[in-house]
Amino acid sequence: MCMKLHEAIENYIHYISVIDQKALTTITNYKNDLTQYETYMTSRNFCDVEAIAYKEIEAFIQEQALSKKTNSINRMIVSIRNFHFYVTYNFPSIANPAMHVKLSKKANKLPSFLNESDLDMFIGSFDDKKDVDLYQHAIIEVMYGCGLRVSEVCNLQMNQLHLQQGIIKAIGKGNKERLIPINQHAIDCLQLYFDGPRVLWNTKKLQYVFINQRGNRLTRQYVHTMIKKKLTELDLQDAISAHSFRHSFATHLLNGGADLRSVQELLGHSDISTTQIYTHIQSDRLKQEYLHAMNKKKR
């Protein structure tokens, strides 16, 4: 009995959505990757899972590598490997052709972040007397002050805030919850926003923390566009993105003496190796300070 590739992929997407309950973003990524995989295979008459061999998968990956970045390729490889593992686990008679497909090597790129003076300039540029500026200011204070992902800020709800206790509950990837302290600057800014524009704008009585002028929930696109516009106004580096505020949060904590394990918990990283990238930033900074000091001595 042959298993159709299309049917097998549909079953797998159902499994990760309903049984495994992966995050919505993860499900979307897997679905997109496997749709491209299916299109490639069926166009070459590999319509049954059993017909696909290692060399076909390698050919697909090589073709994708012509137009995609390493991160996207590696995510696609993970999608394919997990799919074939699922099929073989449930149907042992079907071999796993993706078992030995290896991830592409990538450069250990350091994340971009704002130094403390640039961050102060960015945050200080908002005029809290203007409703839109106050709204944007509150978004940045929470995103940086708690090290949140953009999606976590957009999905933040009122019952996740415990401002009297100085804590918020973030819900991250895989619906994992974590408690994060929130600083007084962010609390004060939120209170001004709650007492002002949010009261006027929340005509639909939504429970999301950040409501825009149309009464809708904050979107990721708005955050990215707002930050890029502000960077241009202030003539700050183009490499900074919305995610850079999360990187800045982690970097400034480590520079202030926080230990790596605590930063890992605050960021919601499941693996500390993900958090260790920030130690490279510290090493680079210390190296620059050392070279600067030695050069001054030579003069």
Side-chain angles (χ1 to χ4, degrees):
M1 179 181 175
C2 293
M3 175 176 286
K4 294 298 180 185
L5 179 59
H6 180 74
E7 182 183 347
I9 289 174
E10 282 195 334
N11 290 341
Y12 177 63
I13 297 301
H14 175 78
Y15 171 78
I16 64 174
S17 304
V18 178
I19 309 300
D20 209 19
Q21 294 188 338
K22 290 191 178 294
L24 184 59
T25 304
T26 302
I27 295 167
T28 301
N29 287 337
Y30 272 52
K31 191 172 183 178
N32 290 339
D33 292 341
L34 292 173
T35 297
Q36 293 176 65
Y37 180 59
E38 180 191 353
T39 300
Y40 175 90
M41 291 302 171
T42 54
S43 70
R44 285 156 178 78
N45 295 320
F46 296 107
C47 301
D48 300 327
V49 178
E50 295 94 328
I52 301 172
Y54 171 83
K55 63 179 182 179
E56 276 77 50
I57 299 176
E58 280 290 283
F60 169 71
I61 295 301
Q62 289 172 11
E63 181 179 285
Q64 295 298 307
L66 297 174
S67 59
K68 289 184 172 64
K69 294 182 179 179
T70 304
N71 283 343
S72 298
I73 293 297
N74 282 340
R75 191 197 68 212
M76 190 168 271
I77 291 172
V78 170
S79 299
I80 294 168
R81 289 199 310 202
N82 288 347
F83 162 68
H84 280 287
F85 175 84
Y86 164 83
V87 171
T88 300
Y89 181 83
N90 287 281
F91 301 91
S93 63
I94 300 177
N96 183 350
M99 184 182 299
H100 300 296
V101 177
K102 295 180 180 179
L103 297 176
S104 300
K105 291 183 179 180
K106 57 182 180 178
N108 197 19
K109 185 180 178 182
L110 296 179
S112 57
F113 68 99
L114 287 149
N115 61 43
E116 293 185 28
S117 61
D118 285 349
L119 182 70
D120 288 343
M121 182 194 300
F122 192 101
I123 292 177
S125 68
F126 295 103
D127 182 357
D128 288 350
K129 293 179 181 178
K130 299 177 181 178
D131 285 350
V132 172
D133 270 36
L134 179 57
Y135 171 61
Q136 294 178 348
H137 184 189
I139 293 168
I140 296 298
E141 286 283 7
V142 173
M143 189 160 62
Y144 164 72
C146 300
L148 299 186
R149 300 176 178 93
V150 178
S151 58
E152 292 171 349
V153 176
C154 294
N155 294 325
L156 194 65
Q157 301 206 24
M158 294 299 290
N159 61 8
Q160 293 173 241
L161 299 183
H162 306 280
L163 299 185
Q164 288 188 339
Q165 291 77 29
I167 289 173
I168 73 166
K169 180 173 72 176
I171 301 176
K173 293 182 177 179
N175 290 323
K176 291 180 180 178
E177 297 181 358
R178 66 189 191 277
L179 297 178
I180 308 171
I182 182 167
N183 64 66
Q184 195 60 47
H185 291 297
I187 292 173
D188 292 344
C189 194
L190 278 172
Q191 291 291 3
L192 287 173
Y193 160 66
F194 291 152
D195 294 339
R198 191 177 185 279
V199 175
L200 299 173
W201 296 349
N202 193 20
T203 54
K204 299 175 184 177
K205 306 300 179 185
L206 301 180
Q207 288 304 304
Y208 292 104
V209 171
F210 293 108
I211 307 294
N212 64 26
Q213 289 170 291
R214 296 182 178 181
N216 298 321
R217 182 187 63 163
L218 173 69
T219 65
R220 294 162 60 94
Q221 184 60 41
Y222 180 90
V223 177
H224 290 296
T225 302
M226 176 261 288
I227 288 171
K228 286 300 181 186
K229 183 178 178 182
K230 180 66 71 173
L231 289 170
T232 301
E233 288 176 4
L234 299 173
D235 197 25
L236 291 173
Q237 54 179 313
D238 292 337
I240 298 299
S241 66
H243 208 61
S244 299
F245 289 87
R246 179 169 157 87
H247 297 321
S248 302
F249 166 81
T251 304
H252 297 165
L253 280 177
L254 288 168
N255 286 345
D259 65 276
L260 198 63
R261 184 69 67 179
S262 298
V263 175
Q264 177 196 359
E265 291 179 9
L266 291 172
L267 291 174
H269 288 160
S270 56
D271 190 337
I272 198 167
S273 63
T274 308
T275 319
Q276 284 174 332
I277 187 68
Y278 297 106
T279 61
H280 295 293
I281 294 174
Q282 286 187 300
S283 297
D284 281 358
R285 179 182 59 82
L286 290 171
K287 182 181 177 181
Q288 291 300 320
E289 289 179 0
Y290 167 79
L291 292 173
H292 180 68
M294 294 305 292
N295 287 334
K296 284 180 69 177
K297 280 187 177 181
K298 288 179 183 178
R299 290 197 295 270

